[in-house]
Amino acid sequence: MTAPNPLVSPRGTFARIATSLRKQIETGQITTVLPSEAELVREFGVSRTTIRRALKALADEGAATSVPGVGWRVGRSDSKPLAERVLTEFDGKAVGDDFPSERHLCEKYQASRPLIRSVLANLQGSGLLTTHPGKGRQVAALPTRDERPST
């Protein structure tokens, strides 16, 4: 006896949703970021589980990628992890220089504030940043060659 395929729906609801989203991507109605799961639940009137199955189907074929803290993006994700990209903010900086704000980093990297805060906390924990209340973050040390992303 073969195991049931978890992507098979008796009514094919998730497949119809995936097809609809794929057509919107192909026609340019959706170009960079897909609507949130909550928006898709409202739009299609189905459960979050059904939406997730549709998004997984798109991901399996390379039409969409889940980006933690951002949502679902069109296409495959070939970019470096956020932590590596934020390390480039140290380029041209010296110890004591101001580090970009959370807001600036959220906008630049199109990431959620909690995700940016997590990256900044890791940088602070590794001794690269210090926080001064009311003044923001400053560079405490520069990343070593091992910490810097390879280009």
Side-chain angles (χ1 to χ4, degrees), residues 66-95:
S66 175
V67 180
V70 175
W72 285 85
R73 293 190 161 274
V74 173
R76 292 198 186 275
S77 175
D78 296 324
S79 64
K80 295 178 182 176
L82 180 62
E84 281 187 38
R85 291 183 286 147
V86 171
L87 276 175
T88 63
E89 297 296 326
F90 285 92
D91 293 346
K93 299 251 187 247
V95 172

Side-chain angles (χ1 to χ4, degrees), residues 103-114:
R103 180 179 173 202
H104 172 81
L105 295 172
C106 288
E107 290 172 2
K108 180 174 182 177
Y109 296 106
Q110 295 183 344
S112 68
R113 191 165 291 238

Side-chain angles (χ1 to χ4, degrees), residues 30-46:
I30 299 175
T31 57
T32 54
V33 180
L34 277 74
S36 70
E37 289 180 6
E39 291 169 330
L40 293 171
V41 164
R42 283 190 298 276
E43 178 181 342
F44 290 101
V46 296

Side-chain angles (χ1 to χ4, degrees), residues 98-128:
D98 289 335
F99 201 75
S101 68
E102 287 178 6
R103 180 179 173 202
H104 172 81
L105 295 172
C106 288
E107 290 172 2
K108 180 174 182 177
Y109 296 106
Q110 295 183 344
S112 68
R113 191 165 291 238
L115 187 58
I116 291 292
R117 282 184 180 158
S118 174
V119 169
L120 292 172
N122 287 335
L123 292 173
Q124 189 167 339
S126 64
L128 296 175

Side-chain angles (χ1 to χ4, degrees), residues 7-68:
L7 295 178
V8 174
S9 167
R11 293 179 290 159
T13 305
F14 86 92
R16 287 194 304 274
I17 293 169
T19 299
S20 173
L21 292 171
R22 188 179 312 103
K23 284 180 184 176
Q24 290 179 54
I25 291 168
E26 290 169 355
T27 61
Q29 292 173 295
I30 299 175
T31 57
T32 54
V33 180
L34 277 74
S36 70
E37 289 180 6
E39 291 169 330
L40 293 171
V41 164
R42 283 190 298 276
E43 178 181 342
F44 290 101
V46 296
S47 70
R48 190 172 289 251
T49 301
T50 301
I51 294 300
R52 287 182 179 158
R53 288 177 70 191
L55 292 170
K56 182 175 179 345
L58 291 175
D60 289 346
E61 65 190 45
T65 303
S66 175
V67 180

